[in-house]
Amino acid sequence: MRDIQIETLLQKELVRQRQGLELIASENFASKAVMKTMGSCLTNKYAEGYPGMRYYGGCEVIDEIETLAIDRLNDLFGSTYANVQPHSGAQANAAIFLALLEPGDTILGFELSHGGHLSHGSPVNFSGKVYKPIFYGVEEESGLINMEKVAKLAELHKPKLIICGASAYPRDWDYKRFRQIADSVGALLLGDIAHPAGLIAGKQLDDPIPHCHVISSTTHKTLRGPRGGLILMGEDFENPWGRINKKGEPIMMSSVLNSGVFPGMQGGPLEHVIAAKAIAFEEASHESFIEYTKQVISNAKTMAKALKSKNYTLASGGTDNHLLLIDLRSKSISGKKAEKALVKADITVNKNMVPFDDKSPFITSGIRIGTAAITTRGLDNENCEQIVEWIDEALLNADNELKLHHIKIEVNRFMGQFPLYQDQ
Ligand SMILES: *Cc1c(COP(=O)(O)O)cnc(C)c1O
């Protein structure tokens, strides 16, 4: 039986994705193989537990799939421990917190209003309710993290866990220095690479694996896989709390983390998504993916340069990765209004707080732009200059419906050259 209502809506969404310029920094277009696998018979299978240790029968094939996903992920990042079961990035972080911390423990993370993530101790998230969050931020002048201030905060508050990683920080991270700071106060270091994971896999950014005790990520942002999460460790190690098992042996972090995910945070894993993750990890190991990640960064740098030439202010003055944070305070338009105008022109972005923003999270003074999705569509540096022309035109004419409509028609015609999911 067909569900015409949902089919019609799916088709509408496909048209929206095809015709528009997708500049949301956390989005991408997964391959057809990834999408097809998410719609496979694997969705029917319960498989609580881990390969070889399941609470359900009939998991022989599932075990092979999950083991393949783990092996491919470890190959991709040069890690030795991987958990592919987290349903999302936030859930991966929740599982890690649950595994490593006791309620009331102090955590040190990146300030949300400076580009951090809700799951790193925001008061509206469980992480900010169960644990005691302290935040480091960027400098008002440079827009960069001052590592000496991070060190001072760590010294002062003695966190159990330090988190590096963000959702709207356009620069790379000094993982080595973060590790020194963590070691100096006896904290564990979590690297949340949800955003740059693909660029790290493509070897275009600093490698966090040797420096972070634990890594969390999503699989659907620059990594271009299905919607999901993961956890990694470069090397397994004995838990630092002296916990022992029934045989009197130290409990290893791998087993602490596995228990954090299941049964700690989740029930049955999404094996259809895990199979799709395995496909994405394989895709990301190809030379063509490395080329893709180079182009993502090159496109972002081109947009940064073009925006600056039009007198836009960029948080931190530019970018090292796939995203830009435009500070609109000098252009007297709010993030909310800018987002609305751009969306009318089929240029999809999100409003975003900028560091030291005087507006609320619902209004904001900035917009965040990312190049991961458009680069998957095949857009190059020259195209990115054209995009900046459209953005500028739309923002200068934010109240002019007719003008915004004309830009939309141009955008739609332009995107017609870049096919997406052609046979659907
Ligand atoms: C996106 C993101 C997450 C959360 O991912 P979800 O899959 O949306 O739960 C976690 N941490 C950071 C830094 C992110 O950017």
Side-chain angles (χ1 to χ4, degrees), residues 97 107 117-125 127-129 131 133 135 163:
F97 289 9
I107 56 177
H117 193 260
L118 282 168
S119 63
H120 299 176
S122 158
V124 297
N125 183 261
S127 56
K129 299 180 196 290
Y131 308 104
F135 298 101
I163 308 152

Side-chain angles (χ1 to χ4, degrees), residues 26 87-93 115-120 164-168 192-196 216-221 227-229 368:
S26 48
H87 299 334
S88 74
Q91 231 127 324
N93 285 339
H117 193 260
L118 282 168
S119 63
H120 299 176
C164 52
S167 301
D192 180 345
I193 61 168
H195 263 268
S216 66
S217 184
T218 63
T219 47
H220 50 277
K221 297 181 182 175
R227 191 157 293 276
R368 187 183 65 158

